[in-house]
Amino acid sequence: MKVSYNWLKDYLEMDLTPAHVAEAMTSIGIEVDSLEEQEEIPGGLAGVVVAKVVECEMHPDSDHLHVTKVDAGTGELLQVVCGAPNVAAGQKVLFAQIGTVLPGDFKIKKSKIRGVESLGMICAEDELGIGASHDGIMVLPEDAPVGTPAKDWLHLKTEAVIEYEITANRVDAASHIGVARDVYAYLKYHNLPGKMNYPGIEAFAGGAAGDAIPVEVRDSEGAPRYCGLTIKDVKVGPSPEWLQKKLLSIGLRPINNVVDISNFILFELGQPLHTFDAGKIGGRKVVVRRAAEGEIIRTLDGVDRKLCAKDMVIADAERPMCIAGVFGGEDSGVTEATTEVFLESAYFDPVSIRRTSKTQGLQTDASFRYERGADPEMPPYALRRAALLICELTGGRIVGEPIEIYPKPIERKRIELDYDRIEAFIGQKIGHENITRVLEALQYKFVNNDGNKAVVLAPSYMIDVYRECDVVEEILRIHGYNNIELPHHMKMSVSASPTPQPEAIRNQISNFLAANGFAETMNNSLTKADYYKDLKTFPAERLVHIVNPLSSDLNVMRQTLLLNGLEVIAYNANRQISRIKTFEYGSVYQRLPEVGGETLEGYEEHPCFALFISGAPEKNWKNPAGKGDFYQLKGYLELLLRRYGADLYQMNAEAAPADIFSEGTIYSLPGGKQLAVIGVINPALARKFGVKQQVVAAEINWKSLFTLIKRGKVAFKEMPKFPEVRRDLALLLDEHVKYADLRAAAFKNAKKLLKQVSLFDVYRGDKIPAGKKQYALSFTLQDVEKTLTDQDVERVMERLLEVFTKEFGGALR
């Protein structure tokens, strides 16, 4: 957003410099980004000075050029070749010295013109950008002082422009009047000189009765307040210089007087207006309604847009003329041939405008203000202000009285205040009278005030003031946060925190993954509903839909972190980063499922960790190239659980869903609650995201993991004094036998001495019968009380072999 300092002073008489205004704006919550000094003519005609033509002779090799001697106040005469027919000795002129850059980025250089050296240029009006004449050079009065900079002689103004940012709740500051109103409150509260001058509309008067265009509002919820006015005998043409300069100062391009007035009012008052060519209004009737589903309108940018039934439109008796509060239509706009206009000033429902703006992909100055909440009391004032300017600048005449449809007036918010409580909020006694002064300066209306308590009506332009605490914020920004003294002593209460601390555990897990080469990613919780169209594991009927989505790509809440991870992998793979190890911590969301044929009301949200490995590691002399596989990621999952005393093999295991994983496992706690799912992402699903390489992923339910961690008891014991013994067995087994079952049976039968079991080789092939496989298992034995003898070890191994033979049909190889 931009405000012009000179334009601001039209409404606020003050002594503050532009820098002080910028400082005050930031102090009261309007954050200033920059303060820029703009010249009335770009460059300020630097290098152009008043000079005197001392000599003037005809060019020896031209019948229209002159060779002159010019005194520019430097103490020496400069030779200049000039082609102007009116140049003569004794004249005072404006002279551009060598190195000067004139408007149009034209740089003056030392040159030769038909063999004669020229050391500058005597300028015409158009060359300086101060007029359109090129009939000859600009001749100054005889008393013009030689050497005077052109900027000083022409009294060129410097325009200070302040660029600032506003938060979503401060749309009231998106205009010169809005900024002036806040700065005035600041001046008044701090006892600085200042006077607020609102544009007068006392001269407005309705016109004679005639064929004014009638208005019908069919949806007052979408358009709670609608004002309109017909103006005839309009002559469309260029805007006067003062209006063009104001618009140019804030970066707007002047178009014509009618359109420029609408833009001027927008940035003066913050009220969007729309002007229709009345001659193009079919049936001479304006209808404010919802669009028909699929209705088409061609907007000012020449695009045919398909509307939905929730979009508000301004229509005539035949077709929509514009998208209400968002964008005008091509067929109803003002042109040079326009002689009659219909002027619109309205308050539209913010939710409706925001929905339309996002679904149509249109962000305009009007929609920016309407969707954040315009001032509902401004439309009639802005209408009259604009009508007076149109009549003044176009010669138009008003037909009839303004039309206003306002069936349910929007009441100002009534707020009860307790001054002592307000000072308690602030943390300092600033005085009850100062609280009153701030509120009066901000245009709060007092219903009653006994000095200690008050009832006020909040200004209509304040869209986010509902409660006393909101009023405290307004008081503080005018009083100044920097003016609140910090106490010498700080008081705080210490509350007991749960053990273990969830946040600390989460950070430990993140640090563990980062230490193992995983990069943390953060994705938007909003995602695309189409991703879930064919997934049975995450059914579309359980999606949490956004009421007013930013776009069709962000219209639901995610049910899983896995799909976000595939987007990240695709993004990186498309940029030649093939080896990817990432993790994410975030929440997932679902509607509650049906229970007994009835759909439960409400939603479920829980956080998860997601891990991803994709692509081959870099090949080197030590590590041959390979691809990240299921067991590599499973190893990280085992290590993670082992850090907190949990064993993955004690979990219930079942096959992972095939629509997400081509192979994988779901691990659940003994009570049946899912802990984690891990596997190779189904290639068909990966291809939908543009991922061609294998992706191994895991998703861990944080609540289940934390429950598991809380169960774990940390115990300390002495380091073993006696050595471990390792023995290996090679077993021939049926294909259906699982390693997890063998491991569980081993610990069950040799729990006292068995410390560890690992599978270090699986073989299928030559000399192995069909339907069979060979497992090579390693067993680590240890007795904490003595050194194991060979007999002790053999006794344990014989028992294990017997168990494997009887329970699993295994045979020693």
Side-chain angles (χ1 to χ4, degrees), residues 96-97 99-109 120-121 123 127:
Q97 304 172 85
T100 299
V101 179
L102 295 178
D105 202 26
F106 179 65
K107 186 173 184 178
I108 304 300
K109 300 177 181 178
M121 187 174 81
C123 302
E127 292 165 335

Side-chain angles (χ1 to χ4, degrees), residues 177-203:
I177 286 288
V179 173
R181 183 172 50 212
D182 266 16
V183 175
Y184 170 69
Y186 170 86
L187 295 175
K188 185 176 180 181
Y189 180 76
H190 293 281
N191 297 314
L192 297 173
K195 181 182 178 183
M196 193 73 186
N197 298 317
Y198 287 93
I201 57 171
E202 297 80 8

